[in-house]
Amino acid sequence: MIRVRKWLAVAAVMLIMGSLVQSGTGPLSDLTVSAWGAEEAASPAEVTLRVSNWEEYIDLGDWDEEETIDLESGDIIGVNSMIDDFEEWYYETYGIKVNVEYSTFGTNEDLYNMLTLGDEFDLVCPSEYMVMKLMAEDMLVPLSDDFFDTADSNNYYSIGVSPYIQEIFDSHEINGERWSRYMAGYMWGVTGIVYNPEAVSEEDASSWTILNNPDYRRQITIKDNVRDSYFAALGALKSELLTSEEFLSDPDYAQRLEEEMNDVSDETIAAVEDYLSSVIENAYSLESDSGKADMITGKVVANLQWSGDGVYTLDQAEEDDMELCFTVPAESTNIYFDGWVMLKSGIGDDAAKQHAAEAFINYVSRPDNVIRNMYYVGYTSVISGGEDTRIFEYAEWCYGAEDEEEETECYPLGYFFSGDSADENYVITAPADQVNRQLAAQYPSEETLERASIMVYFDTKTSEKINQMWIHVRCYDIRDVPVWAWVLGVAAAAVAVVLSARRRVKMVKTKETDYEKTARGKGF
């Protein structure tokens, strides 16, 4: 009887393994060979997955109970770190232990430098332009066909990615390869202006020309980032064109907008350099992160900002009873993405690593985990949730009006959640003032996104020109020094040399005199 039970147990295990391999959904689908009487399958007992992400860009857990997000569908709270929870989920789901070696980077360039210096990662999360660069340099592993199988209930990314985001990823290519073949989105947003409405008018804040507006001298910060600053400068320089009725009504408006906002002709680069030089003269500072605090403390009244950090800034200001606003300039806005990609230098042909990496992407794309990460980092996920409504519930939980509020406004988000702009199931009834505050930053309106443009990847030669321009802007350009200043400088240097020579002669003579006095005193 015992032998029969053992035989039945073995048979059941083999049937399960066979079904997993056949369906392509189990951990053994690419990792094992299953046949009666075959040698022991080659499934790994343990996998090490090396992940690198932006600093403070994933939920680390340890929430207080009062931070619990109480949705109609159930409570959500981050107790453990997302990394620990993934390791546990992966083992429970696939029966394989995964050890995640998690690290962070500060900028896209930092990450690229680490890669070129030999650091090895399996899965990283750079911004769209760095993904384009990595694709162009053939450094990435494409996502597997299994990853896109929506019949697999664990493929949370493919099931839940926003139709709006998916269309962008499918319609943009590098060397004939779609973004969506290599990148799974994580967070997204737009660039705009955070401003203090008591000091800055909405009209002024709604144009990139505010950056060198002398009315706000030493009261504005801009990004210490060549791409964001270059984009903003193009918007200011082309303001009249971009807001003209003729341009806005062009049937090919979207294509023309992208062309104008990616203009890298020599003449345009020179004009951008001049403009940004005037901006730096007018600005309080160049910054990467300090602009948020500078707005909250009142050091500045306007700040070029990514929408995710804009939400954080407005939230923090509210805690100090200070009301700030967020707006997207009328000329255009840059739509940006951070996304997960797998590296050849790490993943290589290792099917076990690739399975774990794709599972990690799917795990952070599960609706409850999406909400945890959005709450923790403040940015907007590319995941809308598919038929799972919890992410929209979370948006309502954050921004929906209370029953007693009188001044409200309907804010449609069908374009993002279902792909249908007129979908009445995805309309938030929000306080009227949210239309130009956190809600507008978290989920830009469809009207705003109509004037959004992607900043494409620049080839090596163009990048060198733009980077050199940025060096001239950030560091004082010696080409701007007038002739009279050079003459004066040379003359001053010559005088310094003469005076220095005279001092040396005087010192030599003094030493000789001292020697003579000493010699006489000793009777020499």
Side-chain angles (χ1 to χ4, degrees), residues 5-7 32 54 85 109 116 155 197 205 316 391 439-440 473 488:
R5 287 177 179 171
K6 285 184 177 179
W7 184 88
T32 66
W54 294 86
D85 284 348
E109 289 67 32
T116 55
N155 281 346
Q316 293 299 306
I391 298 173
L439 176 56
V473 169
L488 185 61

Side-chain angles (χ1 to χ4, degrees), residues 366-393:
R366 199 174 74 183
D368 57 329
N369 293 330
V370 166
I371 293 168
R372 283 176 56 185
N373 284 330
M374 286 178 61
Y375 175 80
Y376 192 85
V377 306
Y379 277 70
T380 307
S381 173
V382 304
I383 302 298
S384 61
E387 294 182 1
D388 191 315
T389 62
R390 283 179 291 178
I391 298 173
F392 180 72
E393 283 183 43

Side-chain angles (χ1 to χ4, degrees), residues 219-518:
Q219 298 180 80
I220 296 175
T221 58
I222 66 167
K223 288 298 172 195
D224 191 3
N225 175 302
V226 63
R227 286 180 64 89
D228 289 314
S229 295
Y230 189 88
F231 188 96
L234 286 176
L237 290 169
K238 298 172 181 281
S239 180
E240 187 174 339
L241 168 67
L242 298 176
T243 57
S244 67
E245 185 60 36
E246 180 182 359
F247 187 84
L248 293 171
S249 59
D250 192 310
D252 297 321
Y253 168 76
Q255 180 180 343
R256 284 195 61 192
L257 180 65
E258 190 161 307
E259 290 172 356
E260 294 293 343
M261 299 311 294
N262 286 280
D263 183 354
V264 289
S265 65
D266 289 344
E267 295 79 10
T268 299
I269 293 174
V272 167
E273 181 177 333
D274 289 340
Y275 179 79
L276 288 178
S277 296
S278 70
V279 169
I280 287 182
E281 281 294 311
N282 197 60
Y284 174 78
S285 70
L286 290 169
E287 59 87 23
S288 295
D289 195 55
S290 61
K292 295 177 288 187
D294 290 339
M295 284 296 305
I296 296 167
T297 58
K299 290 182 180 178
V300 297
V301 297
N303 168 226
L304 192 167
Q305 195 55 271
W306 303 300
S307 53
D309 279 353
V311 173
Y312 172 86
T313 306
L314 270 61
D315 284 345
Q316 293 299 306
E318 277 188 1
E319 292 185 8
D320 294 335
D321 296 323
M322 181 182 187
E323 182 175 298
L324 300 177
C325 294
F326 178 85
T327 188
V328 170
E331 296 90 0
S332 181
T333 180
N334 179 26
I335 184 170
Y336 61 82
F337 305 92
D338 296 320
W340 300 105
V341 292
M342 297 178 294
L343 293 161
K344 284 185 176 180
S345 59
I347 293 286
D349 296 322
D350 191 326
K353 278 185 176 289
Q354 180 159 353
H355 186 274
E358 293 181 349
F360 183 91
I361 297 169
N362 280 317
Y363 186 72
V364 298
S365 300
R366 199 174 74 183
D368 57 329
N369 293 330
V370 166
I371 293 168
R372 283 176 56 185
N373 284 330
M374 286 178 61
Y375 175 80
Y376 192 85
V377 306
Y379 277 70
T380 307
S381 173
V382 304
I383 302 298
S384 61
E387 294 182 1
D388 191 315
T389 62
R390 283 179 291 178
I391 298 173
F392 180 72
E393 283 183 43
Y394 174 64
E396 286 192 306
W397 184 83
C398 290
Y399 304 116
E402 300 292 340
D403 293 338
E404 64 273 12
E405 290 195 56
E406 297 180 357
E407 295 186 21
T408 61
E409 193 165 323
C410 291
Y411 199 85
L413 289 174
Y415 80 89
F416 180 83
F417 282 94
S418 69
D420 180 2
S421 302
D423 192 337
E424 296 182 355
N425 293 314
Y426 295 103
V427 177
I428 292 178
T429 300
D433 66 350
Q434 274 294 340
V435 175
N436 65 341
R437 303 188 70 244
Q438 286 98 321
L439 176 56
Q442 191 91 68
Y443 288 105
S445 68
E446 191 169 21
E447 181 274 327
T448 293
L449 292 173
E450 287 176 356
R451 62 181 188 275
S453 175
I454 290 172
M455 200 170 189
V456 301
Y457 165 69
F458 299 141
D459 60 31
T460 302
K461 185 177 180 180
T462 302
S463 294
E464 288 175 354
K465 290 181 180 179
I466 293 177
N467 288 336
Q468 187 60 53
M469 175 276 298
W470 186 239
I471 290 172
H472 293 161
V473 169
R474 292 189 78 256
C475 308
Y476 193 73
D477 192 349
I478 61 174
R479 297 175 302 174
D480 295 333
V481 179
V483 175
W484 63 264
W486 282 110
V487 172
L488 185 61
V490 170
V495 170
V497 169
V498 171
L499 291 175
S500 178
R502 287 181 176 176
R503 280 196 295 271
R504 289 197 188 96
V505 171
K506 184 176 181 181
M507 288 174 64
V508 170
K509 289 183 176 179
T510 301
K511 287 181 179 179
E512 290 176 349
T513 302
D514 291 344
Y515 176 78
E516 291 171 356
K517 289 180 179 178
T518 302

